[in-house]
């Protein structure tokens, strides 16, 4: 970790809100419709039309800002951000400039690099704006022209800008994962990067440790990253590139304007793009066609009440209530609210959090991944699996047999006891196992001597013999009994 520099990263995230209709007109926001079939005079920017704000979108935005601990403005307005681009027929985007609806806030991430394993990433502002359309360059083979699809124009977007508090490419990825999880829990966005409902730009520079103290390199904005992994890689590449550039120029670079670079996924490098406009180039001015939005204390309070328990709180509660590890709670909470509910019901039934955590992570999650389904579609109810875990807890079944019963329940829909009966598994009483162990110990003086000499593994031979004599015995019990008998000899 003895890097010769420190990395400074801030992110700008755009997420598409889960509304049925667009931000200022009634057009559908459904993904995947044929190009230009979800448009109207308002979202294609015909003259003489009047936009009207979608209240649902504003409420989802408020919900997100509240969950991020932002301060909500009681008065907020819209502004026109003017620029010319083929996918923006109005030549301006309705956005928020000097009076965004929220400021401040933070999101904590669990970062192994941070002190105490946790880093607080500050949020500068969250504002609402409309999306532009989409340019399609050569998407069909052999076609040299470019086309515009305006289905996306006017879709509500939340722009979330962080403070430059992120200290590594890995932390940038952790932040995005945590943000995505939060927005999923809030049911505010599906954050699907493939469908463009979450887009990330990153500002990054480094501070090189020199004899004269830390020297910062100019900030670079990195665009065109299409997955969380791409974000991590692009930022790692860019940090190292800036360091090499610093070594070559050797000096403080002075007032170099902010540069924009695009991530080239195929080449795994960043390349220079046009230099970034200053906000004055956008000639922002208040949107004359929309009234400002007034938010009341009651409205904010109602939103706060509706948030429900959020991922970070759930993790801590699961760890405290069920005694599971941060790793376990992380895996469980990452699967979503329904999965958390399933786990909690299961843990409640069998009374052992760790056992329930192991089973949902190993067996249940494996099946969900294999079948590409969510927990809602999982055929074994928490109650049915709970019955099985109770048998395992009471050592009526060993773990291996437990997994066989699970497989049968999955295949047949039988209850745990039904599957146990069908598989012909019978529980062997402890007295019977003990008698069997006494017999084996008496008949195998060499094994006994080996174990006494410290070769504990030798007891495995006795377990194997026991299983041959009675396949229903629990191998772990046989092992324990035999070791105890030998130690008493
Ligand atoms: Zn429209
Ligand atoms: Mn924006």
């Amino acid at each position: 970790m003895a890097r010769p520099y420190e990395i400074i990263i801030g992110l700008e995230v755009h997420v598409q809100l889960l509304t049925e209709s667009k931000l200022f007109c009634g057009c559908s926001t459904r993904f995947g419709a044929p190009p230009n079939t979800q448009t109207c005079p308002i979202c294609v920017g015909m003259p003489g039309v009047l936009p009207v704000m979608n209240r649902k979108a504003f409420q989802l935005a408020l919900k997100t800002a509240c969950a991020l601990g932002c301060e909500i403005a009681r008065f907020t307005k819209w502004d026109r951000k003017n620029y010319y681009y083929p996918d923006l027929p109005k030549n301006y985007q309705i956005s928020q400039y000097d009076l965004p609806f929220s400021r401040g806030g933070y999101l904590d991430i669990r970062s192994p690099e941070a002190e105490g394993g946790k880093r607080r990433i500050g949020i500068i502002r969250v504002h609402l704006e409309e999306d532009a359309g989409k340019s399609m360059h050569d998407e069909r083979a052999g076609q040299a022209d470019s086309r515009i699809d305006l289905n996306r124009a006017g879709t509500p977007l939340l722009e979330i800008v962080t403070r430059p508090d992120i200290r590594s490419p890995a932390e940038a990825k952790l932040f995005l994962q945590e943000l995505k999880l939060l927005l999923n829990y809030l049911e505010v966005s599906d954050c699907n990067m493939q469908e463009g409902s979450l887009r990330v730009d990153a500002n990054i520079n480094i501070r090189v440790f020199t004899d004269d103290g830390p020297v910062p390199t100019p900030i670079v904005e990195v665009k065109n990253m299409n997955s969380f992994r791409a974000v991590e890689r692009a930022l790692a590449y860019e940090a190292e590139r800036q360091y090499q550039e610093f070594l070559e120029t050797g000096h403080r670079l002075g007032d170099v304007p902010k540069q924009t670079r695009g991530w080239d996924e195929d080449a795994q490098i960043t390349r220079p793009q046009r230099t970034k406009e200053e906000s004055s180039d956008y000639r922002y001015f208040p949107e004359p066609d929309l009234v400002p939005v007034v938010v009341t204390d009651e409205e904010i309070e109602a939103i706060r009440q509706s948030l429900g328990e959020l991922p970070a709180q759930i993790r801590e509660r699961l760890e405290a209530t069920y005694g599971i590890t941060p790793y376990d709670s992380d895996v469980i909470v990452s699967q979503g609210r329904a999965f958390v509910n399933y786990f909690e019901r299961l843990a409640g039934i069998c009374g052992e959090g760790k056992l329930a955590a192991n089973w949902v992570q190993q067996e249940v999650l494996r099946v969900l991944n294999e079948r590409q389904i969510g927990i809602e579609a999982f055929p074994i109810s928490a109650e049915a699996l709970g019955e099985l875990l109770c048998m395992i807890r009471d050592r009526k079944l060993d773990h291996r047999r437990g997994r066989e019963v699970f497989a049968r329940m999955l295949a047949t829909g039988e209850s745990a006891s039904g599957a146990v009966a069908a598989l012909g598994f019978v529980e062997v009483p402890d007295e019977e196992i003990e008698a069997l162990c006494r017999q084996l110990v008496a008949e195998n003086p060499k094994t006994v001597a080996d174990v006494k000499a410290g070769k504990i593994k030798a007891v495995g031979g006795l377990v194997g013999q026991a299983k041959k004599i009675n396949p229903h015995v629990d191998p772990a019990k046989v092992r324990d009994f035999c070791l105890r008998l030998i130690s008493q000899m």
Side-chain angles (χ1 to χ4, degrees), residues 133 171 253 270 287 325 392:
E171 284 191 358
L253 295 161
T270 62
E287 164 62 60
T325 64
I392 294 170

Side-chain angles (χ1 to χ4, degrees), residues 35-290:
N36 301 306
T37 55
Q38 292 170 176
T39 58
C40 73
I42 293 175
C43 55
V44 302
M46 301 292 271
V49 295
L50 282 177
V52 176
M53 185 187 77
N54 177 344
R55 195 84 207 177
K56 177 77 199 290
F58 193 78
Q59 265 161 358
L60 293 182
L62 279 178
K63 208 173 167 185
T64 308
C66 284
L68 289 169
C70 295
E71 175 129 8
I72 308 295
R74 300 304 191 265
F75 178 91
T76 179
K77 70 171 173 70
W78 303 96
D79 298 280
R80 288 190 181 180
K81 180 180 180 178
N82 298 277
Y83 64 95
Y84 182 83
Y85 204 71
D87 63 17
L88 188 73
K90 289 205 295 262
N91 291 344
Y92 62 85
Q93 175 193 28
I94 303 178
S95 181
Q96 299 198 282
Y97 183 50
D98 54 339
L99 292 176
F101 79 91
S102 76
R103 288 183 204 267
Y106 63 88
L107 184 63
D108 288 333
I109 55 170
R110 287 183 164 187
S111 167
E113 300 164 45
E115 255 185 65
K118 197 191 224 182
R119 197 184 303 283
R120 177 156 293 189
I121 310 299
I123 306 287
I124 295 173
R125 60 187 273 162
V126 180
H127 76 242
L128 195 52
E129 62 187 25
E130 60 176 346
D131 206 348
K134 194 176 155 209
S135 309
M136 299 175 289
H137 305 293
D138 303 321
E139 281 193 359
R140 277 183 291 175
Q143 196 139 17
D145 58 348
S146 287
R147 290 158 187 243
I148 304 290
D149 176 9
L150 293 175
N151 283 351
R152 213 175 65 183
T155 294
L157 286 186
L158 213 52
E159 182 178 317
I160 301 166
V161 184
T162 79
R163 292 190 172 283
D165 292 343
I166 297 165
R167 288 291 165 269
S168 72
E171 284 191 358
K173 187 178 170 196
L174 282 172
F175 173 85
L176 291 169
Q177 287 169 333
E178 189 64 17
L179 180 67
K180 175 178 175 164
L181 188 66
L182 178 70
L183 299 184
N184 287 161
Y185 268 78
L186 293 172
E187 294 176 334
V188 149
S189 174
D190 59 17
C191 297
N192 185 334
M193 259 187 132
Q194 274 76 48
E195 295 181 2
S197 56
L198 185 149
R199 281 166 265 161
V200 194
D201 298 331
N203 284 303
I204 175 171
N205 74 334
I206 59 172
R207 275 200 283 254
V208 184
F209 305 131
T210 72
D211 293 342
D212 305 327
V215 177
T217 57
I219 297 172
V220 169
E221 178 168 4
V222 183
K223 291 177 167 292
N224 199 35
M225 299 171 289
N226 292 318
S227 66
F228 290 174
R229 232 169 64 167
V231 170
E232 190 177 10
R233 287 195 186 151
L235 292 176
Y237 172 85
E238 185 56 25
E240 197 50 32
R241 189 198 65 76
Q242 289 185 16
Y243 182 58
Q244 292 306 324
E245 192 177 78
F246 174 87
L247 291 182
E248 277 161 35
T249 55
H251 299 287
R252 191 186 294 263
L253 295 161
D255 245 353
V256 182
K258 185 158 131 181
Q259 199 195 141
T260 302
R261 300 178 71 92
W263 175 241
D264 181 336
E265 182 70 43
D266 295 328
Q268 297 278 300
I269 59 170
T270 62
R271 295 181 194 282
Q273 291 184 336
R274 64 173 168 75
T275 48
K276 172 92 179 156
E277 296 88 351
E278 291 299 315
S279 65
S280 58
D281 298 334
Y282 287 122
R283 293 150 30 245
Y284 278 99
F285 64 82
E287 164 62 60
D289 290 341
L290 283 163

Side-chain angles (χ1 to χ4, degrees), residues 196-454:
S197 56
L198 185 149
R199 281 166 265 161
V200 194
D201 298 331
N203 284 303
I204 175 171
N205 74 334
I206 59 172
R207 275 200 283 254
V208 184
F209 305 131
T210 72
D211 293 342
D212 305 327
V215 177
T217 57
I219 297 172
V220 169
E221 178 168 4
V222 183
K223 291 177 167 292
N224 199 35
M225 299 171 289
N226 292 318
S227 66
F228 290 174
R229 232 169 64 167
V231 170
E232 190 177 10
R233 287 195 186 151
L235 292 176
Y237 172 85
E238 185 56 25
E240 197 50 32
R241 189 198 65 76
Q242 289 185 16
Y243 182 58
Q244 292 306 324
E245 192 177 78
F246 174 87
L247 291 182
E248 277 161 35
T249 55
H251 299 287
R252 191 186 294 263
L253 295 161
D255 245 353
V256 182
K258 185 158 131 181
Q259 199 195 141
T260 302
R261 300 178 71 92
W263 175 241
D264 181 336
E265 182 70 43
D266 295 328
Q268 297 278 300
I269 59 170
T270 62
R271 295 181 194 282
Q273 291 184 336
R274 64 173 168 75
T275 48
K276 172 92 179 156
E277 296 88 351
E278 291 299 315
S279 65
S280 58
D281 298 334
Y282 287 122
R283 293 150 30 245
Y284 278 99
F285 64 82
E287 164 62 60
D289 290 341
L290 283 163
V291 289
V293 187
V294 173
V295 184
T296 63
D297 292 349
E298 293 72 41
E299 209 173 339
I300 295 171
E301 196 41 44
I303 298 262
R304 289 225 164 93
Q305 295 299 323
S306 76
L307 290 181
E309 207 182 7
L310 300 175
Q313 299 165 291
I314 301 177
R315 279 192 205 104
E316 281 177 16
R317 186 174 60 74
L318 295 187
E319 287 159 28
T321 310
Y322 303 103
I324 60 175
T325 64
Y327 176 86
D328 291 337
S329 72
D330 208 31
V331 173
I332 292 167
V333 172
S334 296
Q335 307 305 315
R337 244 187 244 279
F339 195 87
V340 171
N341 292 341
Y342 187 95
F343 162 74
E344 290 207 74
R345 264 188 296 163
L346 191 61
I349 293 165
C350 76
E352 281 188 21
K354 186 62 192 162
L355 181 67
N358 288 345
W359 272 77
V360 293
Q361 287 177 84
Q362 285 155 23
E363 306 306 319
V364 178
L365 213 47
R366 177 178 52 77
V367 175
L368 298 186
N369 288 337
E370 276 169 14
R371 299 188 177 184
Q372 292 287 302
I373 54 170
I375 192 70
E376 300 84 355
F378 186 62
I380 304 177
S381 69
E383 288 67 30
L385 184 56
E387 188 195 354
L388 173 60
L389 294 202
C390 286
M391 293 179 189
I392 294 170
R393 176 200 64 197
D394 298 340
R395 301 191 70 169
K396 291 181 173 154
L397 277 178
D398 62 67
H399 283 272
R400 198 178 52 82
R401 286 195 155 186
R403 282 192 289 275
E404 283 178 52
V405 171
F406 176 80
R408 185 165 173 106
M409 290 167 74
L410 200 57
T412 64
E414 286 165 349
S415 68
S417 43
V420 166
L423 287 164
F425 292 166
V426 288
E427 189 195 346
V428 184
D430 284 356
E431 306 78 64
E432 219 172 287
I433 295 180
E434 197 171 349
L436 179 58
C437 291
R438 281 184 194 287
Q439 177 197 334
L440 289 170
V441 166
E443 288 169 356
N444 293 276
K446 167 130 180 43
T447 307
V448 171
D450 285 346
V451 173
K452 277 196 151 320

